[in-house]
Amino acid sequence: MSPSYLLAVLPPPALAARIAAFREGHALRDAAATPHITVKARSGLSPDLDWAATARAAVAGHAPVQVQVGGPAVFRNGTALYLSVHSADAVALHLALLSALRPAQRFGYEGAHMTPHLSVALARRGTDLSALLDAARVAFADLTAAPLAFTAHEVALLRKSGPGGVYLPLEHWPLGESGAT
């Protein structure tokens, strides 16, 4: 199988380390190994990387991204446990990337209704997301009480080698500092 790619904003190192420790403590092994907030899913991001220059230019033309990370939740469809993310900027960047890349097909969750989130665990056989949610509510109670605000100044290009692999950072692209979106 060929690799797959996505574009994401990475959380601050201290929060990434907390998520990694939670995942390790619960023996979670899935594609969300690198904590990230997806701003462009893999649709249209072909293995030949012919889209990369266009995406990099869209990122460079977008202002830094303001993000607030809150407490844990599980998607209604049961696909993932995540930390909530509030970021109009992340949605705007997502829309700018969709506009620039114009993928022939998009996932149903792409578009203006996109829900930014920071995945903690993906639903897999043997994974009890309800129990993990209870544990995450304890581990990340501070984020429920007071969301963590940060500004992302770059977008990471993440690569997964194939089925069963994990997304790992390949490159980091700076967001524009001009304030233009």
Side-chain angles (χ1 to χ4, degrees), residues 111-125:
H113 58 278
M114 171 246 213
T115 303
H117 63 282
L118 210 164
S119 294
V120 175
L122 304 178
R124 298 289 181 257
R125 187 182 322 171

Side-chain angles (χ1 to χ4, degrees), residues 72-101:
V74 171
F75 281 118
R76 281 181 279 185
N77 65 5
T79 56
L81 163 66
Y82 63 91
L83 296 179
S84 63
V85 170
H86 301 285
S87 176
D89 292 344
V91 174
L93 176 56
H94 168 71
L95 294 173
L97 286 163
L98 281 177
S99 177
L101 295 171

Side-chain angles (χ1 to χ4, degrees), residues 6 10-11 15-24 28-37 118-122 124 158-160 164-169:
L6 62 80
L10 303 182
L15 180 56
R18 286 180 63 193
I19 294 167
F22 181 87
R23 289 175 51 81
E24 183 67 27
L28 297 169
R29 311 259 186 271
D30 58 42
T34 298
H36 65 276
I37 301 162
L118 210 164
S119 294
V120 175
L122 304 178
R124 298 289 181 257
L158 301 178
R159 179 184 185 271
K160 182 171 83 163
V166 299
Y167 279 103
L168 297 171

Side-chain angles (χ1 to χ4, degrees), residues 56-155:
R56 188 179 291 118
V59 167
H62 199 281
V65 174
Q66 303 293 318
V67 177
Q68 278 196 338
V69 179
V74 171
F75 281 118
R76 281 181 279 185
N77 65 5
T79 56
L81 163 66
Y82 63 91
L83 296 179
S84 63
V85 170
H86 301 285
S87 176
D89 292 344
V91 174
L93 176 56
H94 168 71
L95 294 173
L97 286 163
L98 281 177
S99 177
L101 295 171
R102 298 183 187 143
Q105 293 183 317
R106 299 187 334 195
F107 295 114
Y109 52 80
E110 291 187 288
H113 58 278
M114 171 246 213
T115 303
H117 63 282
L118 210 164
S119 294
V120 175
L122 304 178
R124 298 289 181 257
R125 187 182 322 171
T127 302
D128 182 351
L129 289 184
S130 294
L132 285 172
L133 176 58
D134 291 340
R137 284 181 174 143
V138 173
F140 301 104
D142 60 311
L143 297 176
T144 300
L148 171 69
F150 71 94
T151 302
H153 294 275
E154 62 185 20
V155 168

